[in-house]
Amino acid sequence: MERPLLSLRSTLVFLLAVLAGAAAGGLTALAGEGTARSLLAGFAAAGLAVPFFNSLISCEDRPAQSSCPAPVSTAREESNG
Protein backbone atom coordinates (compact mmCIF):
# COMPACT_ATOMS: atom_id res chain seq x y z
CA MET A 1 0.00 0.00 0.00
CA GLU A 2 1.30 3.44 -0.87
CA ARG A 3 2.06 5.96 1.84
CA PRO A 4 0.01 9.17 1.85
CA LEU A 5 1.62 12.35 0.55
CA LEU A 6 0.89 14.26 3.78
CA SER A 7 0.25 13.08 7.29
CA LEU A 8 -3.14 13.64 8.86
CA ARG A 9 -1.73 16.39 11.10
CA SER A 10 -0.15 18.26 8.17
CA THR A 11 -3.35 17.99 6.17
CA LEU A 12 -5.35 19.42 9.06
CA VAL A 13 -2.89 22.29 9.54
CA PHE A 14 -3.02 23.22 5.84
CA LEU A 15 -6.81 22.86 5.69
CA LEU A 16 -7.28 25.18 8.65
CA ALA A 17 -4.83 27.67 7.12
CA VAL A 18 -6.72 27.66 3.81
CA LEU A 19 -10.02 28.17 5.63
CA ALA A 20 -8.56 31.06 7.63
CA GLY A 21 -7.18 32.64 4.46
CA ALA A 22 -10.48 32.24 2.64
CA ALA A 23 -12.35 33.80 5.54
CA ALA A 24 -9.95 36.75 5.72
CA GLY A 25 -10.10 37.28 1.97
CA GLY A 26 -13.88 37.01 1.94
CA LEU A 27 -14.30 39.45 4.79
CA THR A 28 -11.89 41.87 3.12
CA ALA A 29 -13.90 41.66 -0.10
CA LEU A 30 -17.14 42.23 1.80
CA ALA A 31 -15.59 45.30 3.40
CA GLY A 32 -15.37 46.88 -0.03
CA GLU A 33 -11.69 46.47 -0.80
CA GLY A 34 -10.55 45.49 -4.27
CA THR A 35 -9.83 42.01 -5.51
CA ALA A 36 -6.07 42.44 -5.23
CA ARG A 37 -6.23 43.56 -1.60
CA SER A 38 -8.62 40.75 -0.76
CA LEU A 39 -6.28 38.18 -2.25
CA LEU A 40 -3.29 39.67 -0.46
CA ALA A 41 -5.15 39.63 2.85
CA GLY A 42 -6.19 36.01 2.30
CA PHE A 43 -2.70 34.87 1.38
CA ALA A 44 -1.18 36.74 4.32
CA ALA A 45 -3.68 35.23 6.75
CA ALA A 46 -3.07 31.74 5.36
CA GLY A 47 0.68 32.20 5.60
CA LEU A 48 0.48 33.30 9.22
CA ALA A 49 -2.06 30.60 10.09
CA VAL A 50 0.26 27.71 9.17
CA PRO A 51 2.76 28.21 12.02
CA PHE A 52 -0.08 29.13 14.39
CA PHE A 53 -2.05 25.94 13.77
CA ASN A 54 1.17 23.92 13.65
CA SER A 55 2.00 24.97 17.20
CA LEU A 56 -1.62 24.71 18.33
CA ILE A 57 -2.20 21.11 17.28
CA SER A 58 -0.36 18.78 19.62
CA CYS A 59 2.09 16.06 18.61
CA GLU A 60 0.95 13.36 20.99
CA ASP A 61 1.78 10.56 18.58
CA ARG A 62 5.47 11.61 18.50
CA PRO A 63 6.63 12.51 22.03
CA ALA A 64 10.35 12.37 21.15
CA GLN A 65 10.01 14.97 18.40
CA SER A 66 11.69 18.22 19.42
CA SER A 67 9.61 20.50 17.15
CA CYS A 68 6.53 20.10 19.33
CA PRO A 69 5.97 22.91 21.79
CA ALA A 70 6.70 22.26 25.44
CA PRO A 71 3.64 21.73 27.65
CA VAL A 72 2.46 24.80 29.48
CA SER A 73 2.59 24.53 33.24
CA THR A 74 -0.34 25.76 35.25
CA ALA A 75 -0.19 28.43 37.95
CA ARG A 76 -1.01 25.86 40.62
CA GLU A 77 2.12 23.84 39.80
CA GLU A 78 4.34 26.93 39.93
CA SER A 79 3.10 28.21 43.30
CA ASN A 80 4.80 27.16 46.48
CA GLY A 81 1.62 26.83 48.49
Side-chain angles (χ1 to χ4, degrees):
M1 186 161 127
E2 293 184 26
R3 294 178 46 189
L5 181 62
L6 293 173
S7 67
L8 183 61
R9 182 174 178 270
S10 297
T11 304
L12 182 62
V13 167
F14 286 130
L15 175 67
L16 290 173
V18 166
L19 290 175
L27 288 173
T28 305
L30 285 175
E33 296 294 331
T35 305
R37 286 190 181 190
S38 298
L39 286 173
L40 285 173
F43 286 139
L48 291 173
V50 169
F52 172 73
F53 287 121
N54 187 33
S55 65
L56 188 67
I57 298 173
S58 65
C59 306
E60 292 178 5
D61 57 336
R62 296 181 190 143
Q65 188 177 11
S66 63
S67 66
C68 293
V72 178
S73 62
T74 62
R76 180 174 271 173
E77 292 174 351
E78 293 176 0
S79 67
N80 292 333

